[in-house]
Every structure is written in structure tokens, then in C-alpha cells.
Amino acid sequence: MSDRIIKTVDAPEGIEGQGFFAGKLDDLVGLARANSLWPLPFATSCCGIEFMATMASHYDISRFGSERMSFSARQADILMVMGTISKKMGPVLKQVYLQMAEPRWVLSVGACACSGGIFDTYSVLQGIDRIIPVDVYVPGCPPRPEQILDGFMQIQEIAKSEQRRRRESPEYKALLASYGIE
């Protein structure tokens, strides 16, 4: 039994040997970022209840390295917007986004955050992507916890594969400029 080695995760590409491993720094940083994301939940309605279920023991988002919810924008990596966002709340959401340090990712959860949902009225923002850039959309009204976890895992893949210098690229700066963010 002690001779048997169970390999659950494939090692990243690199040079291996007795007592050492050499690889790219971007891969190592991406792996660390992907498995230590601290989410900031911005929950306003029923999608927030589904997120609470995602945090509970049955689904357990802490399996993905996110057991610490950060309610301070300055300590969060991922902004999880869940529920209806009114136009009055839009500037507050944008301010929270701007207070987050780079790199930062945004997960839009539920039909209301993605597109305004059933509330096609003058007071409801018709999708948060009108004020901040969104990385992953999770549809549903409300989405199941499994869907929220899937969206979170997609953010992990983005964090893992993103180069360290992408945020300094002209394309990324142009994206932020299109939202009026410097």
C-alpha cells in the first residue's frame, strides 16, 4: 500500500528532477491566484440566498480556496454581484469595483444582475455590464448553487491562465476607458 502513489493533479509543464521543479513564474502565480480568491459578495435579493446556500456545507465554496468572504473591497479579488441593481445603486457598485486592487474579477450572478431580469423599469439597471466590466455571467432566476460554483470555477480558470502583465496592456486599458475608468 505504501508503494502506491495516487496522483490526483497533473504537474504543470516544466523540468522535474530529484528535489526540484522548474517552470514559468506566470504559471505559478496563476495557480496561486486561482486557488486563493477572496470574494466580495454584493447580494441584493434572492440570488444572495442561493449564494448563502453555496457557502453552506452541502456545496461548500471553501473547497475552492474561498472560505474567507471579504466584506472590504480593498481585500477582495472577485466581486460577486447577485440580484437586482437599481440605477441609484449603480454608482455605489462602481465605487466598490474601483476600490478593489488589481487583479480583480467580476462574477454577475442571476438574471437581474446580468440583464435586469423581469424588471424592465426606469429604476433598474439593465445589466451591470453597463457600468463595470464583467468576466463571467451566471444566468438563472435564481441560479442554483451548482451554477454559481461553475461560474466561480470559470473565474478560477481565467485567473490561472491570465498573464501577470495583461492588466498593463493597451487592450485592457481601452476596456476600462470604455467604462470611464482610468
Side-chain angles (χ1 to χ4, degrees), residues 70-106:
S70 178
F71 295 99
S72 167
R74 299 183 196 283
Q75 298 175 353
D77 301 310
I78 174 173
L79 177 61
M80 299 177 77
V81 182
M82 299 161 270
T84 310
I85 304 297
S86 66
K87 288 184 179 174
K88 266 186 160 179
M89 200 181 308
V92 174
L93 178 62
K94 187 171 186 174
Q95 183 65 33
V96 168
Y97 176 78
L98 291 173
Q99 288 178 351
M100 293 173 66
E102 288 283 1
R104 57 186 171 212
W105 297 275
V106 177

Side-chain angles (χ1 to χ4, degrees), residues 35-41 51 55 60-78 80 152:
N35 293 305
S36 63
L37 293 172
W38 286 1
L40 187 152
F51 177 68
M55 291 175 48
D60 195 18
I61 199 168
S62 65
R63 293 179 294 160
F64 304 98
S66 296
E67 61 263 10
R68 183 191 180 279
M69 294 296 129
S70 178
F71 295 99
S72 167
R74 299 183 196 283
Q75 298 175 353
D77 301 310
I78 174 173
M80 299 177 77
F152 192 83

Side-chain angles (χ1 to χ4, degrees), residues 17-33:
Q18 184 71 26
F20 76 91
F21 177 81
K24 293 187 287 187
L25 182 61
D26 278 341
D27 292 343
L28 180 64
V29 170
L31 189 65
R33 280 181 182 167

